[in-house]
Amino acid sequence: QAIMPLLEALERMERHEARRLICDALATLGGDHLDVFVRRLQSEKANVVRDMLYIIDKLNPPEKLKIIAKLLEHPNLAIRLEALNTIGAGGDESCRGFVLKALNDSDTQMRITATRLLSNFDIAKAAKTLLAIVEDSGFTKRDQKEQTAIYGALAMTNTPESIEFFRGALRTSSLLSKKKLGD
């Protein structure tokens, strides 16, 4: 009976410490009421969504990743980024598809974050995916920050294919002389 009044009080709270205290209480009381917290993930208030994620994380239901993955469609970019980081940080191969899907998101920040998270999964597959993006004809039309993130992520894979790609780019560059390339 205390869950709904606590949730209503939580929505009006400003102080982080008080919010966390109520979230801990809700996680303790709400073990059998996961659906109440999942429904509130659709809130447009970022703090409410973060609090519900915290509670769901503490409850640790078997379908936790599926619940978090639904947030990748949330209208608030900050929430989508948080969800993507949560999903991609674990390196669970079942989450790789969500990160790959985010590579084609309409928002540049989502694509940059997905690019950085790829190396948490199979490095060889990440290198192939990133090489395909770099070698695509539309790559040069991407935002400069996104191109930088993709090159950085490709370098982080440190695979023979990525090293060869960078060597080839240096060979074809008119900016560097052959002596510098040799060095």
Side-chain angles (χ1 to χ4, degrees):
Q1 292 176 351
I3 291 175
M4 293 313 285
L6 282 172
L7 283 170
E8 289 173 18
L10 181 63
E11 284 190 35
R12 291 188 293 267
M13 286 194 171
E14 297 293 324
R15 293 190 56 213
H16 177 71
E17 300 84 15
R19 293 182 77 86
R20 189 53 39 125
L21 182 65
I22 289 190
C23 287
D24 287 336
L26 284 166
T28 302
L29 296 172
D32 296 330
H33 303 285
L34 179 65
D35 58 320
V36 172
F37 307 122
V38 171
R39 280 195 306 268
R40 291 200 183 246
L41 288 175
Q42 300 307 315
S43 173
E44 293 190 18
K45 298 177 182 176
N47 281 339
V48 170
V49 175
R50 284 186 188 102
D51 291 338
M52 295 306 108
L53 273 175
Y54 176 79
I55 294 167
I56 291 168
D57 190 46
K58 285 196 78 117
L59 293 174
N60 200 19
E63 66 274 7
K64 181 170 84 172
L65 286 177
K66 288 181 183 178
I67 293 169
I68 294 171
K70 290 178 185 176
L71 289 175
L72 294 174
E73 305 299 324
H74 198 277
N76 185 321
L77 175 61
I79 297 298
R80 291 192 342 251
L81 287 168
E82 249 179 78
L84 183 60
N85 276 314
T86 301
I87 289 170
D92 183 357
E93 215 35 58
S94 66
C95 297
R96 186 175 185 274
F98 296 116
V99 174
L100 288 174
K101 183 178 178 189
L103 285 173
N104 297 314
D105 195 271
S106 61
D107 189 88
T108 305
Q109 286 181 289
M110 285 290 286
R111 292 191 306 268
I112 288 172
T113 301
T115 299
R116 290 182 182 138
L117 291 171
L118 265 181
S119 63
N120 291 343
F121 302 96
D122 184 323
I123 293 291
K125 289 179 183 176
K128 281 184 180 183
T129 302
L130 293 167
L131 280 170
I133 292 171
V134 169
E135 292 169 349
D136 184 56
S137 61
F139 179 73
T140 56
K141 296 175 185 166
R142 292 180 185 237
D143 182 81
Q144 186 68 34
K145 288 181 182 180
E146 186 176 2
Q147 289 181 27
T148 302
I150 293 169
Y151 282 134
L154 183 57
M156 292 299 291
T157 64
N158 201 26
T159 61
E161 297 86 5
S162 62
I163 292 170
E164 187 54 39
F165 169 79
F166 286 118
R167 282 187 180 144
L170 285 173
R171 280 187 211 108
T172 60
S173 173
S174 62
L175 300 174
L176 298 174
S177 67
K178 288 188 178 191
K179 182 181 178 199
K180 286 185 181 179
L181 177 61
D183 292 344

